[in-house]
Amino acid sequence: MSKIIFTIAILFTVHLGLQAQVFQGMAVYESKTSTAEFKERMAGNKDIPPERLKMIEERMKSMFEKTFILNFDKTASIYKEEEKLDAPTQQGQGGGMRMMSSMTGAGGTFYKDIKTKSYTVDKEFMGKEFLVKDSLPNLKWKMEGETRVIGGYNCFKATAIRPVSKTDFRNFAPKKEETATAKPADATKKTNFMDQIEVPKEVVVTAWYTPEIPVNQGPEGYWGLPGLILEVNDGKTVILCSKIVLNPKEKAVIKAATKGKVVTQKEFDEIMIKKMEEFRSMNQGRGGNGGQQIRIGG
């Protein structure tokens, strides 16, 4: 009898081990970024025709309101923007729009490996393919005492402070007009793109995670909490989980992308900033008004 019980115990342990190996989940996130400051600035620009203003606002909405899918297991995840049927209509957008889209988390597959504490994301930027490989950000989470329910899951609050990337357009703000009159010598001087906008050095991140799904995963580059992160308030952006499926019938392939020129995050950021300057200079050379306002339209 004892041998039978021992055998059953062994089989049960093996079964649990197999279940742990094949465990997988899928979470849908809705990402929205506030664009109130840009809309206010554009509304005050009398040089923009109403029809042009409406088109710009529609494009901004498509850039700053997105849906992402997170497929995860115990140690890794992939985070990718949901493909939409109307995506081909965006092919005619200008270089400025494509650039801004790359700076709002769009495009590519964000792969996180918790074991190695690293990430890989493939990016297409200005017609070139890159493979960004780097270490996951080590956010020092502070556990707060607040709780709430999201999608039927009990969640706990955690906060952290993280530096802001100079290539993440979501936290940019148009720089306020200076009251001082520019000197004649300065009137024709070309200004740096980054001089036209305000970029905070750091932002306070508020996250809500649920221990009921015990994985150290979350949207984008967020991780490191004792449970799946269901909501992130990151400066002007809110990322909220709207759907969770545990152990879906169709398993996703959770692997890092391999195509593209391998660069670090710092190297990729430097490339983007350089291209932003080139794009702005090109517009100025064509007689554009890139030096007056941050170009939102294509």
Side-chain angles (χ1 to χ4, degrees), residues 56-92:
I56 292 175
E57 290 181 351
E58 289 176 353
R59 287 186 174 181
M60 288 180 68
K61 183 177 180 180
S62 68
M63 282 196 305
F64 293 105
E65 294 184 14
K66 296 179 177 295
T67 301
F68 293 86
I69 306 295
L70 177 74
N71 287 286
F72 59 89
D73 56 27
K74 289 289 186 180
T75 60
S77 68
I78 51 174
Y79 184 73
K80 188 174 182 179
E81 183 180 354
E82 182 183 48
E83 295 182 0
K84 297 181 180 179
L85 295 177
D86 60 348
T89 60
Q90 298 178 8
Q91 291 180 355

Side-chain angles (χ1 to χ4, degrees), residues 267-283:
E267 290 171 338
F268 183 69
D269 290 348
E270 290 174 349
I271 292 171
M272 287 189 70
I273 292 174
K274 181 180 178 180
K275 290 299 180 181
M276 282 191 289
E277 280 301 314
E278 291 178 358
F279 182 76
R280 175 184 166 278
S281 298
M282 180 178 64
N283 282 342

Side-chain angles (χ1 to χ4, degrees), residues 190-197 276-277 279-296:
K190 290 185 178 180
T191 57
N192 186 285
F193 174 82
M194 300 305 294
D195 291 337
Q196 302 177 55
I197 56 179
M276 282 191 289
E277 280 301 314
F279 182 76
R280 175 184 166 278
S281 298
M282 180 178 64
N283 282 342
Q284 282 188 327
R286 292 175 179 174
N289 62 352
Q292 299 173 8
Q293 297 287 342
I294 300 172
R295 291 180 61 87
I296 303 297

Side-chain angles (χ1 to χ4, degrees), residues 256-270:
T258 58
K259 190 176 181 180
K261 180 182 178 181
V262 178
V263 293
T264 64
Q265 187 66 59
K266 182 180 179 181
E267 290 171 338
F268 183 69
D269 290 348
E270 290 174 349

Side-chain angles (χ1 to χ4, degrees), residues 7-248:
T7 302
I8 292 174
I10 292 295
L11 290 174
F12 183 71
T13 302
V14 172
H15 173 72
L16 290 178
L18 291 174
Q19 285 292 98
Q21 290 176 7
V22 300
F23 168 78
Q24 195 174 111
M26 185 273 290
V28 180
Y29 291 89
E30 307 296 336
S31 176
K32 293 186 178 182
T33 300
S34 173
T35 58
E37 291 174 281
F38 284 102
K39 288 182 179 179
E40 183 180 352
R41 177 63 66 87
M42 287 189 298
N45 189 339
K46 305 301 180 182
D47 296 330
I48 304 179
E51 61 275 10
R52 173 70 172 173
L53 183 61
K54 183 179 180 181
M55 182 184 68
I56 292 175
E57 290 181 351
E58 289 176 353
R59 287 186 174 181
M60 288 180 68
K61 183 177 180 180
S62 68
M63 282 196 305
F64 293 105
E65 294 184 14
K66 296 179 177 295
T67 301
F68 293 86
I69 306 295
L70 177 74
N71 287 286
F72 59 89
D73 56 27
K74 289 289 186 180
T75 60
S77 68
I78 51 174
Y79 184 73
K80 188 174 182 179
E81 183 180 354
E82 182 183 48
E83 295 182 0
K84 297 181 180 179
L85 295 177
D86 60 348
T89 60
Q90 298 178 8
Q91 291 180 355
Q93 66 187 16
M97 289 295 294
R98 288 193 294 270
M99 182 180 293
M100 295 301 182
S101 182
S102 297
M103 298 168 66
T104 56
T109 300
F110 199 117
Y111 172 82
K112 295 197 295 287
D113 188 330
I114 302 304
K115 281 187 176 181
T116 61
K117 297 181 180 180
S118 63
Y119 69 89
T120 301
V121 56
D122 56 320
K123 284 282 189 180
E124 182 179 346
F125 182 66
M126 303 297 284
K128 295 183 179 180
E129 293 183 338
F130 295 91
L131 197 63
V132 183
K133 290 188 174 185
D134 218 316
S135 300
L136 284 169
N138 184 22
L139 294 179
K140 297 181 179 180
W141 294 106
K142 178 184 178 183
M143 303 302 181
E144 308 288 353
E146 297 178 47
T147 62
R148 58 182 286 207
V149 176
I150 300 177
Y153 290 92
N154 294 310
C155 297
F156 295 84
K157 182 180 179 180
T159 58
I161 297 175
R162 74 162 180 83
V164 173
S165 169
K166 290 184 178 180
T167 61
D168 189 344
F169 193 75
R170 291 171 296 183
N171 282 305
F172 288 10
K175 185 169 288 187
K176 296 178 181 179
E177 299 290 345
E178 297 182 2
T179 55
T181 304
K183 297 180 181 180
D186 297 331
T188 58
K189 183 180 179 181
K190 290 185 178 180
T191 57
N192 186 285
F193 174 82
M194 300 305 294
D195 291 337
Q196 302 177 55
I197 56 179
E198 293 180 337
V199 186
K201 292 183 179 180
E202 58 187 24
V203 293
V204 176
V205 179
T206 299
W208 294 89
Y209 68 95
T210 176
E212 295 173 15
I213 305 178
V215 295
N216 302 130
Q217 293 288 349
E220 294 190 2
Y222 293 108
W223 70 291
L225 287 169
L228 180 65
I229 299 173
L230 298 189
E231 181 176 331
V232 173
N233 190 318
D234 177 2
K236 298 179 181 179
T237 301
V238 175
I239 306 173
L240 176 63
C241 181
S242 59
K243 180 181 178 180
I244 296 176
V245 178
L246 297 180
N247 288 316

